[in-house]
Amino acid sequence: MRDPAISRFAASHLSATRRADDLRRLRSERFDVLVVGGGVTGAGAALDAAARGLKVALIEARDYAAGTSSRSSKLIHGGLRYLEQLEFGLVHEALTERGLLSTRLAPHLVRPVPILVPLPAGGLPLRAFRRSYYGLGVATYDAFAGVLGHGRGMPLHRHLSREGARRLFPSLRGDVTTGAIRYFDGQVDDARLVVTLARTAASLGAAMVTSARAVGFLRQAREVVGVRVRDMEARPGDPDAEFEVRARTVIAATGVWSDDMSRMLGDVGVRPGFRVRASKGVHLVVPRSAITGEAGLILRTPTSVLFVIPWGGHWIIGTTDTDWQLDRSHPAASARDIQYILDQVNPWLARPLSTDDIEGVYAGLRPLLSGEADATSKLSREHAVIEPMLGLLLVAGGKYTTYRVMAADVVDRAVRRLGGGQPSTTEELPLLGADGYAATWRDRADLARRRGVPAGVVEHLLERYGTLTNELLALVEADPALAAPLAGAPEYLAAEVAYAAYAEGALHLDDVLTRRTRISFETAHRGTESAVHAAEVMGGVLGWDEAVRRREVEHYLARVEAERESQRMPDDATADAARMGAADVRGLAADRGLEIPTSAAL
Ligand SMILES: Cc1cc2nc3c(=O)[nH]c(=O)nc-3n(C[C@H](O)[C@H](O)[C@H](O)COP(=O)(O)OP(=O)(O)OC[C@H]3O[C@@H](n4cnc5c(N)ncnc54)[C@H](O)[C@@H]3O)c2cc1C
């Protein structure tokens, strides 16, 4: 629980000093719940447990959202295509979460985005059939959200003629469509929501430590009683780099690394109960000017669907869906993945895209519970909670949108084990930055005038930090140099880099350029032209000397070069080999799940 002498906002600051304090707590205290994994599920579980008054810690091997949770399609959605698979329960649950997030929990981070379902050209009977079929689907979707769910906050769908569709999306080829249906889903900056969850958990007293990797479980007889942790920031040879953390319950929310957790118990012959497979999804990012349209598109592909989604001054286009068994920390997109996406989207566009249009590319791994079907795209998106050994709960599967449900489920199980406790309260708990957001947004022109900054800057900050914008503006007031735009990425302020290091737990340049901001995929230079400036600002907060600054920049440049090289490679194996050419900034070895230590018995 939080020290009552400290304000909730101060307690939410994930600074370097806070990391050192929380590391000390990990070594010395015993926690009710220790969460392993700082993706959306782990950060959500830490928040859920902390909000119930439990003593909570979270460790994350790399950075918040460094795994799948920063590499999604960034939709908070029910999944229109799951209706076709008759997964009504899943769709309803996800739409309920969409409504909660966009109206109460995180209205500053989750916003409506219009999406068109284009109706392909064809003979009259086929056209009539398709309009009724898709129309029924979208109407059911809205009904689940509005009538049966908590769907306020998203406008209802509308049918459009061919002319109507092309007015909204002039780049849509008129000869292949007869019209469209426009519906709405939620859009989120996935990495920012995770860091906001982590900070909200920290504000309630949870110890939150990134660059801290679980390398084994502590056991007493047949019960897990804690975790052995390696501090990935410790100096080489530091004898204290590995230490033990005691907890009454360990929750592993490790996504595509879930099988590693079971394997760490291999010596006692524990059967995991479920397996998690990784399916790779690649997205391309192109400038907004490459396509003219005011809504997104959802397009059918041979195996799944492809989204074209407006993202500020860009479009995000994806995704692929292929089995992946190579490096999980740095999944690589190959030239084949990129060509597949171009081949799927181009038949719909008046001006086809080419590789010259691409600004950024990112790849993520879906954590799919395996066992139900052969083709990965048909595997269930449901989540599961299991207790493979007393004291250890594994939670995996599901999707970003339903993180809160997954978190509540696994913490319910932990609470039962701990002997009672209150039910989940996260349905009623706005994340940091959400309180007072609507009024602050309404009065944003006033705020801009009072603080002497352009209205556009205030809007940009409000949509990324909500009411915490005031903290950034205070930083700028204290040091006006921070009002400068970041080199190579003028839509971001230098202050955002400083704030990331001061309050958002960023420890490395990569954390800032890839996840606190999205410069790594939003610029054609992929952040290389921002690296030196960002390292200067970050180094100022974290006390980096010249050598550290240089090392951080070199690491980042090498990473970008390795990614570019991998994207020129023809297939997964060669792309993976090229990506492995750049070392991980946290010193992680190749991450193929081979070198898993077993747990320590006490
Ligand atoms: C291409 C793609 C598009 C998607 N689009 C959407 C979408 O639009 N909407 C949606 O709702 N869902 C979407 N999803 C699904 C969603 O992104 C994932 O379900 C979700 O992000 C998984 O979160 P997680 O926290 O379970 O896993 P992760 O985010 O992978 O988190 C697991 C964390 O555990 C850490 N970890 C692993 N091992 C250890 C260890 N030993 N010690 C400490 N930490 C460890 C990792 O570093 C990682 O940060 C998409 C997925 C993909 C791949």
Side-chain angles (χ1 to χ4, degrees):
M1 254 168 277
R2 169 170 56 91
D3 176 352
I6 302 174
S7 85
R8 207 178 145 205
F9 287 108
S12 79
H13 288 165
L14 298 173
S15 61
T17 323
R18 168 67 183 258
R19 181 176 185 274
D21 288 347
D22 283 352
L23 263 176
R24 268 193 294 278
R25 287 186 62 196
L26 289 187
R27 291 172 193 269
S28 60
E29 296 180 18
R30 180 173 179 237
F31 295 90
D32 294 323
V33 172
L34 170 64
V35 179
V36 181
V40 73
T41 313
L47 174 60
D48 189 290
R52 297 190 206 211
L54 298 172
K55 188 166 166 179
V56 179
L58 177 145
I59 54 167
E60 159 55 48
R62 295 190 289 157
D63 181 28
Y64 297 115
T68 308
S69 297
S70 57
R71 300 152 185 263
S72 76
S73 304
K74 314 197 190 316
L75 291 175
I76 295 295
H77 64 157
L80 196 52
R81 77 194 137 129
Y82 303 140
L83 276 183
E84 216 169 31
Q85 297 162 9
L86 307 181
E87 302 256 32
F88 297 127
L90 275 186
V91 175
H92 175 228
E93 179 177 81
L95 288 174
T96 303
E97 292 304 306
R98 185 188 77 176
L100 272 174
L101 279 161
S102 61
T103 58
R104 186 189 298 166
L105 308 184
H108 54 315
L109 299 176
V110 178
R111 278 177 285 283
V113 59
I115 300 178
L116 297 186
V117 185
L119 301 171
L124 184 60
L126 195 60
R127 286 200 327 253
F129 168 76
R130 284 187 181 134
R131 194 173 276 281
S132 334
Y133 181 73
Y134 290 116
L136 180 66
V138 176
T140 311
Y141 198 67
D142 275 352
F144 271 16
V147 183
L148 306 169
H150 193 290
R152 296 183 307 276
M154 299 286 157
L156 293 175
H157 76 276
R158 234 184 87 194
H159 280 258
L160 302 171
S161 64
R162 178 188 284 136
E163 290 66 40
R166 293 207 58 229
R167 252 198 310 280
L168 208 56
F169 208 106
S171 283
L172 195 59
R173 264 176 62 184
D175 56 330
V176 297
T177 46
T178 53
I181 305 172
R182 186 193 64 184
Y183 74 104
F184 284 80
D185 253 325
Q187 183 173 50
V188 69
D189 183 329
D190 46 6
R192 291 210 59 80
L193 179 62
V194 175
V195 85
T196 309
L197 284 167
R199 289 189 58 189
T200 310
S203 79
L204 298 172
M208 307 290 287
V209 182
T210 55
S211 290
R213 185 181 184 208
V215 292
F217 290 115
L218 307 178
R219 292 198 326 262
Q220 214 153 28
R222 287 190 71 81
E223 183 172 356
V224 168
V225 294
V227 169
R228 192 157 181 81
V229 176
R230 187 179 300 151
D231 177 1
M232 306 300 289
E233 300 297 328
R235 289 175 199 284
D238 179 347
D240 295 328
E242 273 194 28
F243 57 93
E244 296 180 347
V245 185
R246 310 263 149 186
R248 296 169 71 199
T249 309
V250 175
I251 292 177
T254 44
V256 292
W257 291 268
S258 296
D259 288 0
D260 294 3
M261 298 295 115
S262 318
R263 242 174 281 159
M264 285 203 269
L265 294 169
D267 61 324
V268 277
V270 165
R271 289 178 62 82
F274 61 59
R275 304 291 305 264
V276 174
R277 286 172 62 183
S279 147
K280 183 174 70 165
V282 172
H283 288 89
L284 309 182
V285 181
V286 302
R288 198 64 187 256
S289 56
I291 301 172
T292 314
E294 285 161 34
L297 297 177
I298 180 172
L299 306 171
R300 251 189 206 289
T301 67
T303 52
S304 187
V305 292
L306 189 89
F307 285 105
V308 180
I309 310 163
W311 176 262
H314 317 267
W315 296 93
I316 293 179
I317 309 175
T319 177
T320 59
D321 195 345
T322 53
D323 203 32
W324 177 262
Q325 289 167 6
L326 301 168
D327 186 44
R328 290 167 299 174
S329 291
H330 311 104
S334 67
R336 181 184 297 161
D337 295 323
I338 293 171
Q339 195 54 49
Y340 170 86
I341 295 175
L342 293 177
D343 288 348
Q344 295 304 317
V345 71
N346 278 340
W348 296 89
L349 298 179
R351 182 184 80 76
L353 300 173
S354 77
T355 47
D356 291 343
D357 290 302
I358 298 172
E359 293 177 303
V361 179
Y362 63 89
L365 300 177
R366 295 178 191 83
L368 298 181
L369 297 180
S370 69
E372 284 114 313
D374 284 329
T376 58
S377 52
K378 289 214 183 74
L379 287 175
S380 166
R381 261 60 170 176
E382 273 178 43
H383 72 270
V385 177
I386 54 163
E387 189 169 7
M389 195 168 183
L390 218 55
L392 173 66
L393 295 165
L394 295 187
V395 55
K399 57 183 193 165
Y400 194 105
T401 305
T402 51
Y403 79 84
R404 203 190 61 79
V405 179
M406 294 172 72
D409 270 7
V410 71
V411 178
D412 277 348
R413 285 281 289 271
V415 162
R416 273 210 296 281
R417 184 184 138 67
L418 294 171
Q422 58 164 316
S424 175
T425 57
T426 52
E427 193 179 329
E428 305 289 340
L429 180 68
L431 305 189
L432 281 185
D435 269 332
Y437 176 67
T440 313
W441 177 257
R442 198 186 51 230
D443 298 338
R444 60 195 183 281
D446 266 5
L447 179 61
R449 218 170 303 118
R450 267 187 285 118
R451 298 286 198 154
V453 289
V457 167
V458 165
E459 286 185 6
H460 163 84
L461 295 177
L462 281 172
E463 291 190 330
R464 296 166 46 73
Y465 306 89
T467 49
L468 296 177
T469 292
N470 285 312
E471 293 195 339
L472 275 112
L473 294 174
L475 277 186
V476 170
E477 264 168 26
D479 179 1
L482 294 177
L486 194 64
E491 61 276 34
Y492 291 100
L493 303 184
E496 295 180 72
V497 175
Y499 190 71
Y502 154 78
E504 297 185 330
L507 300 177
H508 294 282
L509 190 56
D510 187 48
D511 304 348
V512 168
L513 295 179
T514 307
R515 288 172 292 275
R516 301 310 177 277
T517 71
R518 311 318 297 268
I519 294 169
S520 69
F521 67 71
E522 288 175 345
T523 57
H525 57 78
R526 303 196 182 174
T528 56
E529 291 175 15
S530 312
V532 169
H533 186 194
E536 261 168 37
V537 175
M538 225 184 143
V541 178
L542 296 177
W544 289 349
D545 61 20
E546 192 43 42
V548 179
R549 261 181 237 189
R550 205 172 333 111
R551 199 176 62 225
E552 287 285 328
V553 172
E554 280 167 7
H555 256 295
Y556 187 78
L557 300 186
R559 180 210 122 168
V560 172
E561 194 37 51
E563 278 183 3
R564 282 193 192 282
E565 183 62 14
S566 67
Q567 289 154 20
R568 287 190 283 267
M569 293 294 140
D571 53 32
D572 281 357
T574 48
D576 178 67
R579 178 61 186 87
M580 296 300 289
D584 186 278
V585 70
R586 288 175 165 85
L588 278 176
D591 179 20
R592 292 175 157 79
L594 300 177
E595 157 251 1
I596 304 297
T598 50
S599 60
L602 294 178

